[in-house]
């Protein structure tokens, strides 16, 4: 289903950490809607550029609808995540 989706939703992981799905969605060049992050994913990843955040189920729906109704934002986020993956992740994990 991830391959067929433009928008992926993730929640925080253990101990309120950034869940591993977050990185998987970046690697797949998806637009991401995530629970508010309790830890910094790094200066290169930015809210409203690489992901949208939510606290409540109502905010989740609003953020998803924002992407559904704004194809320019949706595509820009996907491109930003693809660029991030190629610049910061891909080369680091190819050796494993």
């Amino acid at each position: 289903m991830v391959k067929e989706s433009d928008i992926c939703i993730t929640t925080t992981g253990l101990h309120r950490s950034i869940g591993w799905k977050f990185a998987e969605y970046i690697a797949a060049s998806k637009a991401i809607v995530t629970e508010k992050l309790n830890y910094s994913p790094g200066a290169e990843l930015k809210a409203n550029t690489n992901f949208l955040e939510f606290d409540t189920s109502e905010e989740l729906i609003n953020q998803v609808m924002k992407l559904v109704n704004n194809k320019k934002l949706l595509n820009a986020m996907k491109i930003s995540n693809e660029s991030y993956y190629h610049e910061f992740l891909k080369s680091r994990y190819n050796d494993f």
Side-chain angles (χ1 to χ4, degrees):
M1 289 180 71
V2 170
K3 288 182 181 182
E4 298 170 6
S5 301
D6 286 326
I7 303 168
C8 293
I9 300 166
T10 185
T11 55
T12 54
L14 294 173
H15 307 290
R16 300 171 29 135
S17 66
I18 299 168
W20 184 247
K21 293 277 184 204
F22 189 91
E24 290 178 14
Y25 297 156
I26 289 175
S29 305
K30 302 299 179 179
I32 302 169
V33 180
T34 182
E35 274 187 296
K36 289 222 174 162
L37 301 179
N38 298 295
Y39 301 97
S40 172
E44 296 84 8
L45 287 175
K46 296 178 175 50
N48 301 315
T49 299
N50 298 95
F51 57 91
L52 299 177
E53 294 180 308
F54 71 91
D55 274 325
T56 66
S57 56
E58 184 176 298
E59 287 177 353
L60 166 62
I61 293 166
N62 289 338
Q63 296 292 44
V64 170
M65 293 309 297
K66 181 189 290 187
L67 290 167
V68 168
N69 293 322
N70 187 339
K71 297 298 182 192
K72 184 175 179 181
L73 175 62
L74 174 73
N75 289 324
M77 187 175 291
K78 291 170 65 176
I79 290 167
S80 293
N81 288 335
E82 180 180 30
S83 295
Y84 180 88
Y85 172 72
H86 286 289
E87 187 171 348
F88 296 102
L89 297 178
K90 186 177 181 184
S91 62
R92 292 183 184 169
Y93 296 105
N94 280 344
D95 295 334
F96 291 109

